[in-house]
Amino acid sequence: MISVRNVSKVFNAGRPNAVTAVGGVSLDVRMEETTLFKGPSGSGKTTLLGLIGCMARPSAGRIFLNEREITSLPERFLTDIRRATFGFIFQQFNLIKGVSALENVMLPAYPTGEKFSRLRGRAMATLAMLGLEQRAEAKIEWLSGGEAQRVAIARALINNPAVVIADEPTAHLDTKLSLEFIGIMRELKSRGTTIIIASHDPIVCDSGLAGQVVELRDGRIVAGGAAP
Amino acid sequence: MAHMIERHRHIIDFTLATLLRRKGKNGGLLLVYTLIIFVLASVIFFTEAIKREAMLVLRDSPEIIVQRTLAGRYQTVPISWCDGIGSIRGVSSVQPRLWGYHFDRTRRANYTFMVPAQAPPQSGHVDLGSAVARIQGATAGDTIALQGHDGAPRAFTVRKVLESESQLLTADLILISERDYRDFSGLPAGQATDLVLQVRNQREYATIVEKIARMHHDARPILRSEILRTYDAVFDWRSGVMIVIFSAAALAFLIFAWDKATGLSADERTEIGILKAVGWESSDILLMKFWEGTAISLTAFMVGTILAYVHVFLTSATLFAPVLKGWSTLYPYFRLTPWLDFRQVATLFLLTVVPYTITTIVPSWRAATIDPDVVMR
Ligand SMILES: Nc1ncnc2c1ncn2[C@@H]1O[C@H](COP(=O)(O)OP(=O)(O)OP(=O)(O)O)[C@@H](O)[C@H]1O
Ligand SMILES: [Mg+2]
């Protein structure tokens, strides 16, 4: 369980252009289930995902990962947790250009110092699972949008994360590819992966994928979240 | 342990791939860096080689030379002085020397004529230094013609072309017999260019010099140590010029290193953000930046050093010719003796790779601490 307690994130604090992106949010994300954050643009979805995924620290409040407080950990440990627990799928895919699909998938595992042949084997298996084994050696810029997204998914899965976080994953996909993405998420879910998605795309919101839907507005929860 | 090695390997592989991906930027950087190392290394090699050359020149020079002056100008020395000076206590031998400079009008070159103490050529024969042989286009057995002091040409047969450890020493030399030299230069019989003394005990130098001066008021005795000082001054002036070039280049280098190091392109920022977001730590990024700097530094260092070595020792520092005009007229052609000193290379390393690495630490650290969530916006 990921427990978010009274978490706020203020950008440019103390300055005239201060923005409270997230203001005092409390919620529980249950493991092995799918949680959806929805809400209009600027409501704080991305910011909240970043806080949960240990990408940034909250300005106030605490976050617990399986009862362990993670908000105040030093960077090293935070990175370890991020790498071991979370896999990210970004809106713009954020793949590294000029590098093959395979290497992009392996990158998150480099710091772990895993033996190259083993790592390569795992990366190939992950790509194969997503139907991309033929494109493993292709450079990122040669891939179609759908292929690129699947590479991004493969990269998110390479370290066997317990939690997959996806921010607007279908924003750059057409209907067919969006449905394909939902199919992949269902597959992950059936294997017991925890999924957190931020989206206001009706295809995602109406797919019935999410067991828990949290609605945000202006950095606050307006519906769902089972906040204690 | 195996994990650490494997981690380094992965990161090095990725770093090298990244360097190749940014060919334009890194190629430019490598080029400038190599060029700077090349200039600095050439300066270091050149000054050191010149100094070494001078040591070779002076190694065999006599301990005391006696010249004669008249109204502050050098005159020839009467050979009759030898008896008097030879009888001074502590002087083991006195030898008159015959030598002088000659300007070859047709070929616009300076030669040094000398009558060697040992095995001089027979009359009508000469030995040529390598540069003279080249200018004259002559080899052993050929006949060359040179214009004497009275304007009349004289013909000489080349006995051999001189080989020597130091070309600076012999490049412009012509060895000739005493009779031919007197005839050629107009040096009167009974006169020599100077006298050289061998002295048994160093501590007696001062006394001997004093006695010579008392014996002949127009004598000008010179100690080898004084010659060394004069040479040093000349070389120091040369290296002074070099040091100016040197510091300018070093400064340019620092500015350039700083500039390149601080400038992190938007692309690079995003990439570092991505790496951090997918689980790289600050230390992994630092490691990547470290290997990036090392790869560029070492490549530039090696290529620049090798090119400088070729430049200085195989092409006689052609690119420095304008600065060293003085040398090239005095010694029209010479080749420096190849010579590589570990200390020089270490100095060069300290002056380039180390400052470069230091100037890239701060920006690398800044890159490493980029927030991972930049890529989410
Ligand atoms: N680094 C930042 N500096 C200043 N303001 C920021 C920063 N990041 C986000 N914000 C602001 O915080 C608020 C919430 O942003 P966030 O990106 O979390 O919203 P979102 O719900 O993901 O929006 P969208 O649907 O457009 O992606 C916005 O007003 C945004 O402008
Ligand atoms: Mg967003």
Side-chain angles (χ1 to χ4, degrees):
Chain A
M1 178 127 93
I2 301 171
S3 308
V4 178
R5 293 292 173 267
N6 266 318
V7 161
S8 303
K9 180 72 180 179
V10 183
F11 291 106
N12 308 322
R15 273 182 266 158
N17 58 345
V19 183
T20 305
V22 171
V25 165
S26 295
L27 66 95
D28 286 330
V29 174
R30 287 185 295 278
M31 294 311 234
E32 304 192 14
E33 285 192 19
T34 301
T35 302
L36 172 70
F37 292 161
K38 63 187 226 180
S41 190
S43 57
K45 304 183 295 292
T46 299
T47 307
L48 189 53
L49 286 184
L51 293 173
I52 291 175
C54 302
M55 293 263 221
R57 289 171 200 273
S59 313
R62 301 186 202 196
I63 299 171
F64 299 85
L65 173 66
N66 296 328
E67 258 102 82
R68 184 179 179 203
E69 220 244 45
I70 55 171
T71 13
S72 55
L73 290 176
E75 196 224 296
R76 245 189 81 85
F77 294 98
L78 218 54
T79 309
D80 279 346
I81 291 175
R82 182 162 73 237
R83 190 166 50 219
T85 314
F86 299 100
F88 290 87
I89 302 165
F90 305 96
Q91 180 174 339
Q92 305 88 338
F93 308 153
N94 279 329
L95 296 166
I96 294 185
K97 295 201 186 64
V99 168
S100 72
L102 182 67
E103 179 142 34
N104 262 287
V105 174
M106 293 192 298
L107 271 178
Y110 281 175
T112 64
E114 185 175 346
K115 211 164 167 299
F116 187 82
S117 52
R118 258 194 62 193
L119 174 56
R120 191 172 189 281
R122 287 201 301 117
M124 281 306 284
T126 313
L127 282 171
M129 186 186 90
L130 296 166
L132 276 176
E133 67 268 52
Q134 305 295 332
R135 308 291 278 152
E137 298 301 335
K139 295 245 164 77
I140 289 306
E141 47 272 43
W142 302 343
L143 300 178
S144 71
E147 286 171 334
Q149 164 127 49
R150 278 181 284 154
V151 173
I153 297 172
R155 183 180 64 184
L157 298 178
I158 192 67
N159 284 333
N160 295 316
V163 183
V164 167
I165 294 181
D167 188 17
E168 313 272 3
T170 58
H172 290 316
L173 303 181
D174 60 21
T175 310
K176 181 172 161 280
L177 290 174
S178 298
L179 290 171
E180 196 182 294
F181 172 79
I182 291 167
I184 296 169
M185 289 302 117
R186 271 189 218 287
E187 169 74 26
L188 287 180
K189 189 181 164 184
S190 71
R191 296 185 195 181
T193 306
T194 309
I195 299 170
I196 308 174
I197 301 178
S199 180
H200 44 46
D201 181 354
I203 301 180
V204 177
C205 296
D206 303 340
S207 65
L209 179 70
Q212 173 175 237
V213 178
V214 178
E215 211 176 322
L216 292 166
R217 191 149 303 161
D218 297 330
R220 294 180 182 278
I221 295 177
V222 291
Chain B
M1 193 59 211
H3 278 239
M4 285 311 289
I5 293 170
E6 210 51 33
R7 168 175 171 246
H8 275 259
R9 242 193 68 192
H10 291 327
I11 292 178
I12 291 171
D13 279 356
F14 181 69
T15 306
L16 295 181
T18 302
L19 285 175
L20 289 179
R21 273 191 295 140
R22 302 210 174 85
K23 272 196 207 77
K25 187 189 170 198
N26 291 311
L29 172 65
L30 199 62
L31 197 78
V32 178
Y33 198 164
T34 306
L35 200 75
I36 288 167
I37 303 240
F38 168 75
V39 172
L40 294 188
S42 294
V43 170
I44 291 187
F45 289 164
F46 187 82
T47 36
E48 282 302 313
I50 283 279
K51 279 196 181 154
R52 215 177 84 89
E53 211 76 13
M55 290 327 288
L56 288 178
V57 171
L58 295 172
R59 190 183 51 195
D60 303 322
S61 71
E63 288 148 15
I64 298 180
I65 296 172
V66 178
Q67 296 177 330
R68 188 167 71 102
T69 56
L70 178 67
R73 313 279 307 171
Y74 292 117
Q75 297 293 308
T76 52
V77 184
I79 293 175
S80 57
W81 282 15
C82 285
D83 294 341
I85 292 174
S87 67
I88 294 174
R89 220 146 63 95
V91 175
S92 52
S93 81
V94 188
Q95 293 290 330
R97 288 198 310 186
L98 284 86
W99 62 276
Y101 300 120
H102 174 78
F103 181 65
D104 180 353
R105 232 172 284 237
T106 29
R107 302 225 157 61
R108 321 204 105 268
N110 273 301
Y111 308 137
T112 303
F113 272 89
M114 190 178 273
V115 178
Q118 263 120 48
Q122 298 163 284
S123 181
H125 287 74
V126 285
D127 294 347
L128 301 184
S130 55
V132 185
R134 200 177 321 137
I135 294 169
Q136 293 284 343
T139 54
D142 291 352
T143 302
I144 60 167
L146 292 169
Q147 205 175 32
H149 71 104
D150 52 4
R154 285 159 178 80
F156 300 103
T157 307
V158 179
R159 182 171 71 160
K160 65 171 189 248
V161 176
L162 299 166
E163 297 285 335
S164 160
E165 187 184 352
S166 163
Q167 292 215 351
L168 182 57
L169 199 64
T170 60
D172 67 340
L173 204 59
I174 296 179
L175 298 184
I176 192 168
S177 70
E178 178 173 348
R179 214 178 84 201
D180 287 353
Y181 187 58
R182 289 197 187 279
D183 170 54
F184 184 79
S185 64
L187 190 70
Q191 298 285 317
T193 314
D194 53 21
L195 309 179
V196 298
L197 274 63
Q198 295 299 322
V199 174
R200 273 188 219 95
N201 186 350
Q202 280 201 22
R203 272 171 305 185
E204 288 182 52
Y205 284 176
T207 341
I208 292 170
V209 162
E210 205 189 300
K211 282 183 183 161
I212 296 171
R214 224 180 298 140
M215 197 177 283
H216 304 286
H217 290 286
D218 51 352
R220 185 166 177 270
I222 306 167
L223 288 172
R224 175 158 66 177
S225 57
E226 285 170 19
I227 303 176
L228 273 167
R229 265 206 298 282
T230 319
Y231 266 88
D232 256 3
V234 172
F235 287 127
D236 280 351
W237 181 81
R238 295 280 163 204
S239 13
V241 175
M242 284 304 186
I243 281 164
V244 172
I245 301 177
F246 196 98
S247 356
L251 194 68
F253 176 73
L254 279 184
I255 293 167
F256 145 83
W258 178 254
D259 183 58
K260 115 87 203 171
T262 45
L264 208 56
S265 72
D267 258 15
E268 284 176 284
R269 283 185 68 85
T270 317
E271 267 190 35
I272 292 171
I274 293 173
L275 292 174
K276 291 205 72 174
V278 302
W280 285 40
E281 262 178 56
S282 299
S283 67
D284 298 319
I285 305 288
L286 275 177
L287 193 62
M288 177 171 94
K289 286 274 152 200
F290 166 78
W291 284 118
E292 193 179 302
T294 307
I296 290 181
S297 281
L298 288 187
T299 312
F301 185 75
M302 281 187 327
V303 174
T305 308
I306 292 170
L307 286 181
Y309 189 86
V310 171
H311 170 225
V312 170
F313 296 117
L314 302 186
T315 72
S316 307
T318 19
L319 300 180
F320 288 167
V323 189
L324 300 158
K325 258 285 158 28
W327 276 112
S328 39
T329 48
L330 199 57
Y331 300 104
Y333 298 93
F334 68 88
R335 207 173 244 204
L336 293 164
T337 316
W339 164 251
L340 195 62
D341 181 3
F342 174 75
R343 247 191 28 240
Q344 292 170 32
V345 179
T347 309
L348 189 64
F349 190 84
L350 281 176
L351 284 170
T352 54
V353 174
V354 171
Y356 179 83
T357 311
I358 290 171
T359 45
T360 52
I361 284 177
V362 173
S364 298
W365 179 77
R366 213 186 302 159
T369 52
I370 287 176
D371 279 335
D373 67 338
V374 289
V375 294
M376 295 189 77
R377 280 169 226 140

